Amino acid sequence: MYIPTLITPLLLLLPLASAIDILLPLYLYPSDAATAWSPIFQTIATHPTTTFQIVINPNSGPGTPSLLTDPNLITGISKLNAYPNVRTLGYVLTGYGHRANAAVTADVDIYAQWSAYPDADIHLDGIYFDEVSNDKSQANYDRMAFFSRHARASIRGATVVFNPGYRAPEPLFASCDLMVEFEHPLADYEAEGVLAQIPPA
């Protein structure tokens, strides 16, 4: 799924920011020669002190059982990887605990294979696990810890992101580098006092 309307508002806010990290779900098909991603490239280049963690999502996951073959995605990802302030993350659906473990790890394995592409640098720097369950059970904690270990074993130096989209139980934080706990307007975020409820590092 591609959602270009998510991209422009974020880019408009960037001139107000400095020395921060941006997590950008790039759910926008790059089009011919990655021209649709040109505003992203320009923004990255003009904000060299900002680290961009960019989520790559060909088709609710890697969308292919082998190496990536779409020339536009190959061009776009290789351009992103040319920037020193970019880390690319592969989108993996976990289905709030209902997707089979083997299907989740298979997606990770496909993304890991992209580093072997011979004609362009389309490696990924980590995995973005979406639809993470915030169930307060040991089984859920163990499952997500397993996925995290698999990602880090498959991709050297992998950044692991969990996205429950809601406040997560504290034990989940031990298995990821970044947690997405809110996906709504800033005013709602401030009203709910989310920051005060995030566990200390």
Side-chain angles (χ1 to χ4, degrees):
M1 180 172 65
Y2 298 104
I3 314 176
T5 55
L6 292 178
I7 307 301
T8 301
L10 178 60
L11 298 185
L12 291 174
L13 290 173
L14 275 177
L16 305 177
S18 63
I20 61 173
D21 284 11
I22 296 292
L23 178 63
L24 177 62
L26 189 50
Y27 303 165
L28 169 69
Y29 187 70
S31 299
D32 291 345
T35 53
W37 289 4
S38 292
I40 307 297
F41 302 141
Q42 294 167 7
T43 301
I44 293 167
T46 55
H47 294 83
T49 62
T50 298
T51 299
F52 292 81
Q53 311 263 6
I54 298 184
V55 183
I56 304 299
N57 183 14
N59 187 21
S60 294
T64 175
S66 59
L67 284 176
L68 187 65
T69 57
D70 185 314
N72 297 321
L73 281 168
I74 290 171
T75 297
I77 295 168
S78 64
K79 285 184 176 182
L80 289 173
N81 281 335
Y83 293 99
N85 56 327
V86 167
R87 289 183 65 79
T88 47
L89 311 174
Y91 178 97
V92 173
L93 196 67
T94 66
Y96 299 109
H98 300 295
R99 192 176 184 214
N101 287 7
V104 173
T105 56
D107 278 357
V108 173
D109 293 342
I110 291 171
Y111 284 126
Q113 292 172 24
W114 289 6
S115 64
Y117 188 77
D119 300 321
D121 179 9
I122 59 169
H123 81 276
L124 296 185
D125 299 299
I127 298 295
Y128 177 92
F129 290 104
D130 197 18
E131 295 189 0
V132 171
S133 172
N134 61 0
D135 180 55
K136 296 178 180 179
S137 69
Q138 191 61 48
N140 184 45
Y141 305 151
D142 290 346
R143 182 172 187 260
M144 293 311 304
F146 167 70
F147 293 153
S148 179
R149 289 194 302 271
H150 187 81
R152 288 172 171 146
S154 304
I155 299 173
R156 181 178 298 179
T159 295
V160 174
V161 182
F162 289 172
N163 179 24
Y166 193 73
R167 288 188 294 279
E170 188 167 344
L172 279 181
F173 283 78
S175 298
C176 66
D177 300 297
L178 299 171
M179 184 78 74
V180 179
E181 289 199 304
F182 210 78
E183 298 180 303
H184 300 286
L186 177 61
D188 294 347
Y189 179 86
E190 294 172 335
E192 292 197 17
V194 176
L195 280 175
Q197 300 175 57
I198 296 176

